[in-house]
Amino acid sequence: MRLDIVSIFPEYFAPLDVSLIGKARERGTLDVRVHQLRDWAHDVHKTVDDTPYGGGPGMVMKPEVWGEAIDAVIAGGSPTTVTEGGPSTTVTGGGSPAAVAGGGLPRLIVPTPSGRPFTQELAQELADEPWLLFACGRYEGIDSRVMAEYGTRLRVDEISIGDYVLAGGEVATLVMVEAIGRLLPGVLGNAHSAVDDSFAPGAMRNLVEGPVFTKPPVWRGHEVPPVLLSGHHGKVARWRRDEALRRTVANRPELAAALDPETLDKHDRRLLEELSFRFQPEDMAN
Ligand code: 6GU
């Protein structure tokens, strides 16, 4: 997968050199290119923002500089490609669209708190794309005509990573790149480690994961639940599901409320009944 990121703060993306994503880049599974937006600003101050039409606080990112940047990345080159210290330090633009399977166009991702929610399902959908281009806005956002313009040529998604406001799209992009990158074939060491994630499709779908333990069996007086040492796979599976249900009710009551009864067995339903009288509407008011 090829991943282009345009930002006025390329330094934010240093973490992409380490751990799973860094190794995926070294192996060539991931081709990440970070670009400095200001390289496409022409005035002496490298201006990228201006005051909003209609008034109001803050600044809006100018469409011309974004248009030039996105055009250049799509055309396969860039004035500079900033990946200092990383596995791709030698990459200095000049890549070509043909480097991407199919030689097609990227899907344009615009991180914004007003976007549609980023979910595991969307992460999987994006992991199936050959080429993503992240346009990281700062200030009050990017002039909306940029999304309108590229919407006629590319698939454009404005995406939010949650109901809080960040100072810019950089950290949101890191979050999305990590969630997407770990789904790429061969990125996780254990091919099965993504399948029972909380929110992964499958049997435990819509439940968060329960607690996990490793050695020693007793630590500072805290014991590992004996069932996990029993070697009884059926009992372990049942216990894990109970704990997943308990945690889902405690931490994510909205997920518990949305559980499809068809996916619940008698034991699940009995456990939920036991738990649910602690979650009467008045207790859920906070
Ligand atoms: Cl994608 N960007 C910003 N600036 N804030 C956010 C966000 C994105 N998602 C949640 N908050």
Side-chain angles (χ1 to χ4, degrees):
M1 167 183 275
R2 175 168 165 187
L3 251 166
D4 286 277
I5 301 171
V6 181
S7 163
I8 58 167
F9 295 120
E11 318 87 270
Y12 260 99
F13 299 96
L16 298 180
D17 292 343
V18 300
S19 190
L20 282 179
I21 301 296
K23 292 204 179 77
R25 294 174 71 186
E26 283 172 15
R27 280 200 311 269
T29 305
L30 248 186
D31 174 8
V32 181
R33 307 181 192 191
V34 183
H35 312 270
Q36 169 56 268
L37 176 68
R38 291 192 200 276
D39 289 345
W40 287 282
H42 298 297
D43 66 302
V44 66
H45 296 112
K46 304 276 182 196
T47 307
V48 295
D49 61 343
D50 204 339
T51 54
Y53 276 125
M59 300 290 270
V60 173
M61 294 190 104
K62 294 164 65 62
E64 304 97 318
V65 59
W66 273 110
E68 286 200 39
I70 295 169
D71 286 348
V73 170
I74 290 173
S78 66
T80 60
T81 299
V82 184
T83 52
E84 263 137 59
S88 303
T89 305
T90 53
V91 175
T92 50
S96 81
V100 174
L105 292 169
R107 191 157 159 180
L108 180 61
I109 311 295
V110 184
T112 164
S114 53
R116 70 174 161 123
F118 186 65
T119 60
Q120 190 64 26
E121 186 182 14
L122 183 51
Q124 184 63 65
E125 185 185 321
L126 296 175
D128 294 333
E129 298 280 348
W131 188 5
L132 301 175
L133 166 50
F134 288 86
C136 300
R138 281 262 144 184
Y139 318 113
E140 298 304 309
I142 301 171
D143 187 303
S144 197
R145 290 170 293 182
V146 173
M147 284 63 85
E149 163 70 9
Y150 289 98
T152 69
R153 294 193 264 151
L154 311 176
R155 177 130 186 220
V156 178
D157 299 273
E158 293 181 275
I159 302 177
S160 165
I161 64 161
D163 291 339
Y164 39 80
V165 180
L166 303 171
E170 284 78 9
V171 170
T173 294
L174 281 172
V175 167
M176 289 189 268
V177 168
E178 182 158 313
I180 293 164
R182 67 187 286 284
L183 296 174
L184 299 176
V187 169
L188 289 186
N190 174 351
H192 297 290
S193 26
V195 302
D196 59 271
D197 288 342
S198 297
F199 309 112
M204 299 281 264
R205 184 170 30 176
N206 302 329
L207 297 180
V208 298
E209 278 177 47
V212 297
F213 303 87
T214 186
K215 291 173 278 289
V218 183
W219 177 73
R220 297 191 180 180
H222 301 269
E223 288 182 15
V224 172
V227 62
L228 297 179
L229 310 177
S230 70
H232 193 303
H233 298 306
K235 284 186 181 164
V236 169
R238 182 65 254 174
W239 182 86
R240 286 191 170 145
R241 186 165 174 87
D242 286 357
E243 293 304 305
L245 283 161
R246 285 184 207 282
R247 267 209 196 172
T248 304
V249 168
N251 295 342
R252 300 295 303 274
E254 84 289 5
L255 287 183
L259 286 171
D260 176 1
E262 297 292 296
T263 68
L264 302 174
D265 64 21
K266 258 172 80 180
H267 187 117
D268 291 336
R269 283 196 284 267
R270 187 153 39 81
L271 178 64
L272 284 174
E273 262 171 54
E274 276 172 36
L275 296 172
S276 58
F277 61 80
R278 299 177 199 170
F279 282 88
Q280 296 307 304
E282 54 270 29
D283 298 321
M284 289 176 66
N286 62 26

